Amino acid sequence: MGCARRWPRGLVLGFVLAWCVVSVSCNDQVTDSRAATGLVLEVLQGSAGPAGAFGGSLASDVVADGGGVFRDLGRVGMRLSFKDPGTSGNPSSPTSANWITVTRYHVEYLRGDGRRNMPGEDPVVPLAFDGGVTFTVVDIISHEFTLVRAQAKLEPPLLALRGLGGAALIATVAEITFFGHDQTGAATSATGFINVTFADFSDPS
């Protein structure tokens, strides 16, 4: 007659916890990897103020004519891309399940000299932020979003640039990551970069 082997309770609990962690991680990876399509950022532009022209870089004025502040806009052009494009004779084509809905984005400013904000210290660049958007990429699309918050121009370090004209500026690279999912719920994201220079630029008047 065989006898059942008794394992130490702590060891059994450890096995169970380890199995749960691996299962969750694997499930996340499967969910993220099963999207048949991804996002390709074809263009990323910025516009100073609500009426500025869009261009491949942004000169952000920390004080508008008259002393007010305005947010600066970004514009992204993106398209769907198949992970498996198919063949020249039988290329992949999207169905409604492959459409990607973008729901939010994250902006972080990076200085060229590598300095970053540290907890408890004065910021060297504007604080990173998250923004909400909702648009669906069916094929090719262009969409606008907030690239520089108006509130950031009333906080350090941009507040210190007021009244200095071109004598002082902060040159950064903005890293923007867009997050979304296809219509089956599989997550996807895409990241782009644009130069953003902050200063109290001369007003037209």
Side-chain angles (χ1 to χ4, degrees), residues 48-98:
F54 282 94
S57 61
L58 172 63
S60 177
D61 195 351
V62 297
V63 184
D65 191 7
V69 295
F70 296 96
R71 66 173 179 148
D72 298 319
L73 298 179
R75 176 187 289 166
V76 61
M78 59 177 64
R79 63 177 173 84
L80 287 183
S81 175
F82 271 92
K83 295 179 180 178
D84 180 7
T87 65
S88 58
N90 186 27
S92 299
S93 58
T95 67
S96 58
N98 303 131

Side-chain angles (χ1 to χ4, degrees), residues 109-118 121-125:
Y109 303 99
L110 312 172
R111 276 188 33 159
D113 57 11
R115 292 185 63 193
R116 297 197 178 194
N117 295 333
M118 298 294 292
E121 296 185 4
D122 291 335
V124 296
V125 292

Side-chain angles (χ1 to χ4, degrees), residues 113-182:
D113 57 11
R115 292 185 63 193
R116 297 197 178 194
N117 295 333
M118 298 294 292
E121 296 185 4
D122 291 335
V124 296
V125 292
L127 297 175
F129 70 95
D130 292 283
V133 292
T134 301
F135 60 91
T136 298
V137 184
V138 176
D139 184 13
I140 301 174
I141 195 171
S142 176
H143 196 83
E144 295 181 3
F145 61 96
T146 298
L147 179 54
V148 179
R149 298 175 303 129
Q151 182 65 29
K153 300 178 181 182
L154 301 175
E155 302 170 341
L158 301 186
L159 188 62
L161 298 178
R162 282 175 167 247
L164 299 181
L169 55 83
I170 298 176
T172 72
V173 176
E175 177 184 77
I176 304 102
T177 302
F178 296 90
F179 299 92
H181 58 81
D182 69 12

Side-chain angles (χ1 to χ4, degrees), residues 2-18:
C3 60
R5 183 175 181 181
R6 301 187 64 181
W7 294 89
R9 184 176 179 182
L11 184 59
V12 173
L13 180 59
F15 282 149
V16 172
L17 290 176

